[in-house]
Amino acid sequence: MKETVLGIQVNTETYDELIQQIFDRIEKKEKSLIVAINPEKIMKAKDDPALKKLLNEAEFQIPDGIGVILASKLQKGNIIERVTGIDLMMRICEEAAKRQKRVFLYGAKPGVAATAAEKLKELYPGIQIAGVQHGYEKDNEKVVAAINEAKPDILFVAMGSPKQENWINANRDRLYPIIYQGVGGSFDVLAGNVKRAPEFFQKIGLEWFYRLMLEPKRIKRQMALPKFLLEVLRNK
Ligand code: UDP
């Protein structure tokens, strides 16, 4: 099920329901793109028709960011749970290990994807890592060939948004994987290069506050949230 937030489609399902749908799609060989939606992207898409199209044409739009949940509440919608890109990626990896599906990690600086893959093997014993590729290879044909030779079912692309989604859309027709997820800086987090907020802050929805304390410069980005919520109210 999807709900529209300021013109952008967002999935209303929980992690469990999404995992079910994603693995059903693997069985049916229905290629699918998963994009993470947050207030910043929704506001950007308002004046960027190409971004709007890209986001709305994805098969899955997950409600990443507490602002999307608040927006849904304001418009009496059905999005109850935040689904973050990195947490969904972890859930997909957990399930992939159980079902013997192969995953490939593409993106981040040289060495990072390999370290992230080691971490995944620790967390989900038996997970089949089909391969890894850093995100700065200039020869795209080489990247496509490496992925296709590895025959992954699932491809995680960590090159920042919308670069990663644009790359997926430009190449998915000739790529082997079925599931494509843009995961931003997640390989860096997995590899331990970037720390997430302590679980306490994540649980109470204040990850943004923790990050603001560490990086006061983020206030500019975060000021977009009240503006976004006002816009949602105005559009009700
Ligand atoms: N990156 C990459 N290739 C590029 C540009 C960026 O692999 O050409 C990687 C970069 O090393 C980092 C990630 O993309 O690992 C960007 O993460 P960021 O947190 O900026 O993404 P966001 O989640 O904010 O979209």
Side-chain angles (χ1 to χ4, degrees):
M1 278 272 292
K2 303 222 182 167
E3 176 176 327
T4 307
V5 179
L6 292 181
I8 302 297
Q9 306 264 44
V10 188
N11 278 84
T12 59
E13 288 88 346
T14 62
Y15 283 106
D16 287 339
E17 291 163 341
L18 287 170
I19 289 293
Q20 182 75 44
Q21 291 181 14
I22 288 164
F23 282 81
D24 279 354
R25 285 190 161 249
I26 295 182
E27 297 311 327
K28 293 189 200 138
K29 301 219 181 302
E30 291 171 350
K31 282 195 181 175
S32 306
L33 168 61
I34 305 168
V35 297
I37 304 295
N38 57 39
E40 213 184 333
K41 277 188 209 168
I42 293 178
M43 293 305 269
K44 220 170 130 196
K46 275 170 51 105
D47 331 290
D48 182 344
L51 179 64
K52 184 170 181 178
K53 184 164 181 280
L54 182 155
L55 297 177
N56 278 337
E57 283 180 0
E59 282 75 10
F60 294 94
Q61 294 89 353
I62 56 171
D64 192 347
I66 193 78
V68 182
I69 313 299
L70 292 174
S72 178
K73 286 212 169 43
L74 287 177
Q75 60 185 18
K76 307 225 179 316
N78 299 311
I79 305 172
I80 43 167
E81 184 177 37
R82 192 175 163 210
V83 176
T84 71
I86 187 161
D87 288 321
L88 184 64
M89 175 187 170
M90 303 297 260
R91 296 287 294 262
I92 291 174
C93 287
E94 184 183 16
E95 194 67 19
K98 283 187 201 152
R99 302 200 196 197
Q100 306 273 293
K101 299 296 177 197
R102 297 161 63 76
V103 310
F104 193 108
L105 309 186
Y106 170 38
K109 300 220 170 79
V112 176
T115 309
E118 288 311 311
K119 187 77 200 178
L120 287 174
K121 284 187 207 160
E122 253 173 65
L123 291 168
Y124 310 114
I127 187 169
Q128 300 195 23
I129 306 286
V132 299
Q133 166 65 52
H134 69 72
Y136 297 87
E137 172 58 58
K138 294 251 156 57
D139 184 352
N140 191 49
E141 296 312 305
K142 249 168 96 175
V143 175
V144 169
I147 294 167
N148 283 341
E149 276 160 29
K151 295 198 176 357
D153 301 289
I154 300 153
L155 179 64
F156 297 108
V157 185
M159 299 200 295
S161 199
K163 186 172 188 174
Q164 59 202 15
E165 287 85 9
N166 284 326
W167 182 86
I168 291 168
N169 280 344
N171 293 283
R172 63 187 258 180
D173 286 348
R174 61 194 183 121
L175 282 169
Y176 184 90
I178 313 287
I179 301 297
Y180 299 82
Q181 184 185 0
V183 292
S186 298
F187 297 174
D188 293 302
V189 175
L190 257 174
N193 300 345
V194 176
K195 291 236 178 325
R196 277 190 84 179
E199 210 163 313
F200 167 73
F201 284 95
Q202 292 180 39
K203 277 230 173 80
I204 60 174
L206 288 180
E207 190 161 6
W208 61 271
F209 177 70
Y210 179 84
R211 291 176 75 179
L212 181 61
M213 289 192 301
L214 295 185
E215 266 180 273
K217 269 195 311 219
R218 294 177 68 91
I219 190 74
K220 233 184 158 164
R221 270 172 70 173
Q222 293 185 348
M223 283 310 286
L225 181 60
K227 209 173 145 196
F228 163 75
L229 293 175
L230 273 176
E231 192 77 22
V232 172
L233 279 174
R234 223 181 289 150
N235 273 268
K236 236 168 54 158

